[in-house]
Amino acid sequence: MDHRDLRLLDDDALERSSVVANSDMNRERRLPAYRRELGVDVLALLRGADRVVRWLDLCCGTANALFEAAHALGDRAEIVGVDLVGYFAGPPAGLRLRLVTASVTSWAPGAAFDLITCVHGLHYVGDKLGVIARAASWLTDEGLFAANFDVRSVRRADGAPAGRRLTAALRASGLVYDARTRRVSCRGRREIDLPCAYLGADDRAGPNYTGQAAVDSYYAFG
């Protein structure tokens, strides 16, 4: 099916979709979820530095994990959480923690990060590849980006999965894609220019591998 036969949504319409506002998508997660879902021990990684470190969590949900990390790390870390909904567990008073209600497709930080994570958030984003590219550009030289990412949710203009063409482009750009765990990651800041243009998103794609309804993203590949 060609993308012109679908009701593709732009970012504004997508963010009003009931699929994106789904309250069952692991919003209450705690720190152990980052090791389980992304293979990242957040506290061990951040404690290993000999300076103040910075962690950005995209689609952070209620930010329970960020509160845990802020209490554990104190002045040794600066932590930022971004979420579209903004139902946070509480105010970050007295902590080096900033919580931002914004879309990850348009928000941008003012400084680089040592760790950037996104646990299952990309499933509900329209321009997934754009967010991945932007996140990679926000890393420090030794920083780590890690996110759950289902390559099957990226479609060409004719509706076919982007498949190996996309994974090859990701790897050529310095990203690592693990098809078994459905994770994308990179180490160190990089500018990524993938050979595609975002067309819009389909919020009627149905459940993905998590069992939750997700969003397919459509691109014109050059």
Side-chain angles (χ1 to χ4, degrees):
M1 178 183 294
D2 189 277
H3 76 281
R4 290 169 294 188
D5 299 323
L6 291 171
R7 180 183 57 89
L8 293 184
L9 304 178
D10 62 17
D11 286 343
D12 288 342
L14 180 65
E15 289 166 4
R16 294 192 298 269
S17 165
S18 61
V19 172
V20 175
N22 178 8
S23 62
D24 296 326
M25 58 180 190
N26 197 23
R27 295 184 55 82
E28 302 283 344
R29 60 184 175 273
R30 304 281 180 167
L31 277 175
Y34 291 76
R35 177 183 286 184
R36 181 177 66 252
E37 303 296 342
L38 299 180
V40 176
D41 185 331
V42 171
L43 290 184
L45 189 153
L46 296 179
R47 280 174 172 155
D50 58 0
R51 56 179 174 77
V52 174
V53 291
R54 305 187 78 240
W55 173 28
L56 169 62
D57 192 33
L58 301 173
C59 306
C60 67
T62 59
N64 281 322
L66 281 65
F67 279 97
E68 290 177 341
H71 283 292
L73 296 169
D75 290 340
R76 290 173 292 175
E78 296 178 357
I79 302 171
V80 179
V82 181
D83 194 81
L84 178 66
V85 179
Y87 290 153
F88 303 124
L95 298 171
R96 297 188 74 169
L97 168 62
R98 182 163 68 100
L99 299 175
V100 180
T101 301
S103 169
V104 297
T105 61
S106 58
W107 179 85
F113 290 87
D114 301 285
L115 174 64
I116 301 176
T117 53
C118 186
V119 176
H120 292 301
L122 290 177
H123 306 323
Y124 309 95
V125 169
D127 188 5
K128 307 177 201 303
L129 302 182
V131 172
I132 290 170
R134 295 171 78 231
S137 74
W138 299 337
L139 290 170
T140 61
D141 289 342
E142 299 297 327
L144 173 66
F145 165 62
N148 298 109
F149 175 58
D150 187 1
V151 74
R152 293 177 298 182
S153 67
V154 175
R155 303 274 169 172
R156 301 194 312 238
D158 63 2
R164 293 182 179 177
R165 183 174 184 180
L166 173 58
T167 56
L170 292 173
R171 290 167 180 147
S173 297
L175 294 158
V176 176
Y177 179 68
D178 187 324
R180 182 182 63 82
T181 61
R182 298 182 180 90
R183 295 172 186 161
V184 64
S185 63
C186 73
R187 175 72 73 172
R189 181 184 182 278
R190 60 194 69 240
E191 295 293 335
I192 293 172
D193 185 16
L194 295 171
C196 58
Y198 178 57
L199 298 172
D202 176 17
D203 66 344
R204 298 172 297 174
N208 68 359
Y209 71 95
T210 67
Q212 294 291 320
V215 170
D216 278 353
S217 303
Y218 282 71
Y219 294 82
F221 283 81

